[in-house]
Amino acid sequence: MKLMDNWLKRISRISSWLLLTGVVVLVVSGWGITQTGAIFNATGGLIDRRTADMIHRGVVLPMAVFFLLHVFINIWLKFKRSRPWVKYPAAALILALGAVILWLVIYMEYIRLGG
Ligand code: HEM
């Protein structure tokens, strides 16, 4: 169990740094859409509005995965420490909630047509 906890903590920490990177990419690509000229110049012409839009949309799903991993692992480890008798129902609830949120992101980003 201790080994699994250590692996979960490692996954949560790696996810947190990838999430933080994702937040920076989301903000800069967002500026690439609203402040195109500034980002185009700052990137030496690498990122125009179309590329910024593609990056901005493309980073949403990975960020959702990293956010869910980082937050839900930390919430579960906290539950396990403070209320060990509910650790399995809590795990089931967290996994179900994570699956619903991930599905919602995939549906909104890749399935549902805009508008
Ligand atoms: C965009 C949102 C977030 C980002 C970018 C983020 C980023 C980070 C980073 C970089 C760390 C340090 C990881 C390390 O020690 O190597 C961390 C730790 C932590 N975060 Fe977050 N975090 C976010 C949201 C949250 C939320 C919403 C929660 C709580 C529900 C949370 C709970 C924690 C906890 C408990 C730790 C300490 C875990 C440990 O010691 O391993 N974080 N976070």
Side-chain angles (χ1 to χ4, degrees):
M1 208 50 159
K2 189 94 188 94
L3 187 66
M4 189 180 100
D5 288 3
N6 289 343
W7 269 109
L8 285 175
K9 252 199 182 297
R10 202 168 291 158
I11 294 168
S12 162
R13 288 183 176 158
I14 293 167
S15 304
S16 70
W17 293 106
L18 292 170
L19 176 60
L20 193 57
T21 312
V23 170
V24 173
V25 171
L26 197 74
V27 170
V28 173
S29 60
W31 285 334
I33 299 166
T34 58
Q35 304 289 344
T36 307
I39 298 299
F40 186 77
N41 296 336
T43 58
L46 265 180
I47 299 185
D48 59 11
R49 179 172 290 180
R50 193 164 156 278
T51 314
D53 186 62
M54 240 169 37
I55 295 170
H56 200 66
R57 292 167 188 270
V59 82
V60 174
L61 183 57
M63 277 186 70
V65 172
F66 298 140
F67 182 81
L68 290 172
L69 282 173
H70 176 58
V71 173
F72 282 176
I73 288 173
N74 278 314
I75 290 175
W76 189 63
L77 288 174
K78 172 127 181 75
F79 254 109
K80 208 164 151 274
R81 271 194 310 272
S82 58
R83 294 175 183 78
W85 60 90
V86 292
K87 67 181 177 189
Y88 295 119
L93 185 67
I94 284 171
L95 285 172
L97 198 57
V100 169
I101 294 170
L102 209 51
W103 168 247
L104 193 65
V105 171
I106 292 169
Y107 175 72
M108 295 299 266
E109 288 297 321
Y110 299 101
I111 298 174
R112 188 177 187 283
L113 300 175

